[in-house]
Amino acid sequence: MNPSDEAPPTQQPDPRSPDAAPRVSPEVISRRKSCTADGVGLSHYILMEESRPK
Amino acid sequence: MSAEEMASGRLVNSGGGPSLLPWDIGHATHLAVMEPETAFWSLVRKDRLADALTGGELLALYRQKRSAFEQEMALLRFGLSPSAVYFNPTDRCNLDCSYCYIPQAMRQGGEQMSAERLHEALSRLQDYFAGTMARVGRLPRVIFHGAEPLLNFKALRQGIEAFDGRFEFGVQTNATLLTEEMLGFFQDHRVSLGLSLDGPTAEITHDARHAREGRVEVHGAVLRTLEKLRGSRRHSVIVTVTRHNVGVLNEMVELLHGLEVPACLLNMTRCTLEGGRQARVPDHEAAPPFLAALERTHALYRETGRKLVVGNFANILLAILAPTARRLMCDLSPCGGGRAFFAVAANGDLFPCSEFIGLSSFAGGNLFEGGVRAALESPAFAKVIGRDVDRFDPCRRCAIRHFCGSPCPAEAHEMHGGMDRLGAFCAFYEEQTRYAFRLIADGKADDFLWNGWDQGEGMATLLDFAGGV
């Protein structure tokens, strides 16, 4: 997919807004997401695509 | 005491219980607690660590998710098959960078693949992938790499035209030979473009990257190309970090951000060959300016709302937040060489990764003679694929071994004498990982990843907890 073909579904708030201020961290944080593993980059080449389908 | 109260597995770090290692991330209030084998992690407030390890949400989460995490890591580490090829259509280069991982003799007098031969190579690769990727739902990738692939543009062009729609193509180039016509061709054929640039000024770029004969204006050529690519999201820039430019990484990211480059790599020079080792910056000198440059990209994002993603660091964050979403396959053990991709040299020899192209003993076969399948099963490939951080010291005792993967096998072999040896940049990876966890603790990690990184179809949330012990 050409990332420029699709507007990125940005979920983050505008980093310039006051909402982007530092927060107090919870006592315990744990996150993990999963998808089909299809990375093929190496240190000689990478294409960082936005909104790439999985 | 009841049998249930004494059951094996109820206590952390004994018998069949969870093996959870605390790890200092250098954060004011939190530290990490991890099970290395499954890449399970949690950030815990320091004053709640004892409570977290003796009951509560952390252990409940771990028990719920362990099996899924274990299966996921097994698939990622041992269940992949290649879906990309790094293809050198020529051994030669018009530059003579001291740190290059291709030996100088090859770059100066090596082979150049004919257009007919390149066509045959793509045909053979197409046949191979037809048997392995028919139901994957995406095209295999061919990345023309080098040396300098544009020295053989005519053959490359014919190959891309003939196999348009059957591969996704990419090109990594130093840009000095890139004409308006070539750029238009690549854009017309949706070819992803990687450029190399080593300095924010011409002087620094030319300190790191020399022409083989006479003077080639590297810096200006790359900047002119980047100006033309403004607004495109299909290009990236590799900055090879050496002693020549380590002091100007902030200026480097400012330049790239100003040119609206969507992603870059700030790569420590690979040390497989002696030239790279000579240009290398020691880990303790490299980490502070590298992290400062990351901070600078964040400040630029806060100022402008536009990101410059530093891909190699983003990959460490992904290794933590979503291991299967990694884009780079170096920071993984076994690495992606010979598993997620392989490399083709200009004479058709097949290597697990282009990093090995200068090491003839790692040729696993030839595309035109034995073919891909034989190479993938060769002893040379097995040696690289068999490098497993769970099996050698000191990595097997390291809490973060599945976030860094102890790259790179070529460096471990050439610098340290074997596949079962430490990679080249252990302390540097450690500092990156600590920084990544600090960003997660402070709720900033997504600012360092591309927009929508976790929004694609097929992305599932396995765990998302933020609360009290």
Side-chain angles (χ1 to χ4, degrees):
Chain A
M1 184 197 70
N2 182 346
S4 63
D5 292 344
E6 185 179 306
T10 304
Q11 300 295 307
Q12 293 176 249
D14 187 324
R16 295 161 290 187
S17 77
D19 295 340
R23 62 183 184 125
V24 176
S25 300
E27 289 180 356
V28 176
I29 303 165
S30 199
R31 294 168 62 187
R32 179 129 148 189
K33 298 208 174 215
S34 184
C35 58
T36 303
D38 62 2
V40 294
L42 73 168
S43 62
H44 311 149
Y45 179 85
I46 188 173
L47 177 63
M48 300 297 288
E49 301 165 72
E50 296 198 14
S51 309
R52 49 193 312 286
K54 291 286 181 179
Chain B
M1 188 175 280
S2 69
E4 190 175 83
E5 286 171 327
M6 285 190 64
S8 173
R10 77 191 192 287
L11 296 178
V12 169
N13 297 331
S14 75
S19 295
L20 295 175
L21 301 175
W23 195 64
D24 180 8
I25 61 170
H27 191 268
T29 57
H30 283 65
L31 52 67
V33 175
M34 294 182 272
E35 182 185 57
E37 290 82 0
T38 57
F40 171 87
W41 62 268
S42 180
L43 295 174
V44 179
R45 218 173 71 185
K46 291 176 181 175
D47 61 351
R48 302 307 310 276
L49 180 62
D51 290 335
L53 291 180
T54 52
E57 288 294 339
L58 174 62
L59 296 186
L61 291 170
Y62 167 86
R63 289 190 168 103
Q64 280 172 19
K65 303 295 180 183
R66 186 182 193 284
S67 175
F69 288 2
E70 189 173 45
Q71 289 173 31
E72 184 186 54
M73 290 305 287
L75 189 63
L76 178 64
R77 298 183 60 217
F78 305 110
L80 303 183
S81 58
S83 60
V85 182
Y86 288 84
F87 192 126
N88 285 15
T90 178
D91 288 332
R92 300 175 202 165
C93 187
N94 59 330
L95 300 185
D96 189 20
C97 306
S98 64
Y99 57 72
C100 189
Y101 56 89
I102 296 179
Q104 190 180 47
M106 278 181 82
R107 285 183 274 122
Q108 291 186 357
E111 291 197 32
Q112 186 123 312
M113 197 179 267
S114 69
E116 295 73 25
R117 194 85 157 152
L118 190 142
H119 187 284
E120 185 188 346
L122 291 178
S123 181
R124 286 172 180 263
L125 291 170
Q126 185 186 353
D127 290 346
Y128 166 72
F129 285 119
T132 61
M133 291 187 67
R135 272 170 275 164
V136 172
R138 61 190 166 85
L139 295 174
R141 282 192 169 147
V142 170
I143 298 105
F144 290 111
H145 213 286
E148 175 46 51
L150 298 189
L151 282 169
N152 201 5
F153 178 70
K154 188 178 167 189
L156 194 146
R157 176 183 191 135
Q158 289 180 25
I160 291 173
E161 283 174 337
F163 289 84
D164 197 8
R166 285 177 273 176
F167 294 105
E168 274 190 53
F169 288 105
V171 173
Q172 181 71 33
T173 175
N174 64 33
T176 57
L177 304 170
L178 188 64
T179 64
E180 197 81 43
E181 185 204 350
M182 292 177 189
L183 198 55
F185 174 79
F186 291 142
Q187 288 177 326
D188 289 347
H189 289 79
R190 300 164 62 83
V191 176
S192 306
L193 209 53
L195 306 177
S196 305
L197 183 67
D198 284 356
T201 65
E203 186 181 9
I204 293 171
T205 296
H206 288 276
D207 279 347
R209 316 199 75 198
H210 308 286
R212 188 152 59 86
E213 291 173 359
R215 183 172 176 82
V216 174
E217 197 211 357
V218 181
H219 191 79
V222 179
L223 292 194
R224 283 192 293 278
T225 304
L226 290 175
E227 283 289 358
K228 291 172 190 163
L229 289 169
R230 266 185 201 271
S232 160
R233 307 296 293 175
R234 298 185 65 80
H235 69 293
S236 59
V237 173
I238 293 181
V239 180
T240 300
V241 179
T242 63
R243 56 190 166 78
H244 296 290
N245 60 12
V246 69
V248 291
L249 296 184
N250 272 15
E251 292 86 342
M252 197 71 226
V253 297
E254 286 167 2
L255 173 69
L256 299 180
H257 185 271
L259 287 161
E260 301 180 28
V261 173
C264 70
L265 298 177
L266 299 182
N267 280 338
M268 296 300 123
T269 182
R270 295 248 81 111
C271 296
T272 301
L273 300 185
E274 181 57 30
R277 286 170 228 157
Q278 294 292 328
R280 179 197 179 154
V281 184
D283 286 1
H284 68 282
E285 293 177 24
F290 178 84
L291 298 186
L294 293 177
E295 290 281 310
R296 186 68 191 124
T297 66
H298 191 241
L300 291 167
Y301 171 54
R302 296 292 297 266
E303 288 166 19
T304 65
R306 182 167 47 76
K307 293 175 179 174
L308 167 67
V309 174
V310 178
N312 47 315
F313 175 70
N315 214 57
I316 298 293
L317 273 172
L318 290 175
I320 297 168
L321 294 168
T324 48
R326 282 172 164 91
R327 310 313 317 142
L328 288 168
M329 301 300 274
C330 297
D331 315 333
L332 178 65
S333 175
C335 72
R339 295 196 311 123
F341 53 78
F342 55 88
V344 181
N347 65 358
D349 280 353
L350 295 164
F351 293 85
C353 169
S354 39
E355 192 67 34
F356 287 96
I357 279 181
L359 308 174
S360 57
S361 66
F362 283 93
N366 188 282
L367 182 60
F368 303 108
E369 291 165 19
V372 175
R373 289 179 194 282
L376 294 178
E377 292 168 9
S378 67
F381 275 52
K383 198 169 180 179
V384 176
I385 295 168
R387 184 169 189 268
D388 179 352
V389 288
D390 283 347
R391 295 185 180 178
F392 58 86
D393 285 325
C395 296
R396 67 179 171 185
R397 292 180 281 111
C398 177
I400 61 166
R401 61 184 181 269
H402 291 307
F403 301 134
C404 95
S406 193
C408 139
E411 291 170 324
H413 192 269
E414 294 302 299
M415 290 176 72
H416 299 146
M419 287 294 170
D420 57 350
R421 307 291 166 85
L422 196 62
F425 297 98
C426 181
F428 180 69
Y429 272 93
E430 191 172 318
E431 284 309 304
Q432 283 190 83
T433 309
R434 298 176 85 213
Y435 180 70
F437 272 120
R438 293 199 292 274
L439 294 178
I440 295 169
D442 292 336
K444 296 178 182 171
D446 289 348
D447 294 357
F448 291 78
L449 296 166
W450 66 95
N451 293 334
W453 73 270
D454 59 348
Q455 302 298 312
E457 186 186 337
M459 181 70 81
T461 300
L462 296 184
L463 177 59
D464 189 4
F465 181 81
V469 169

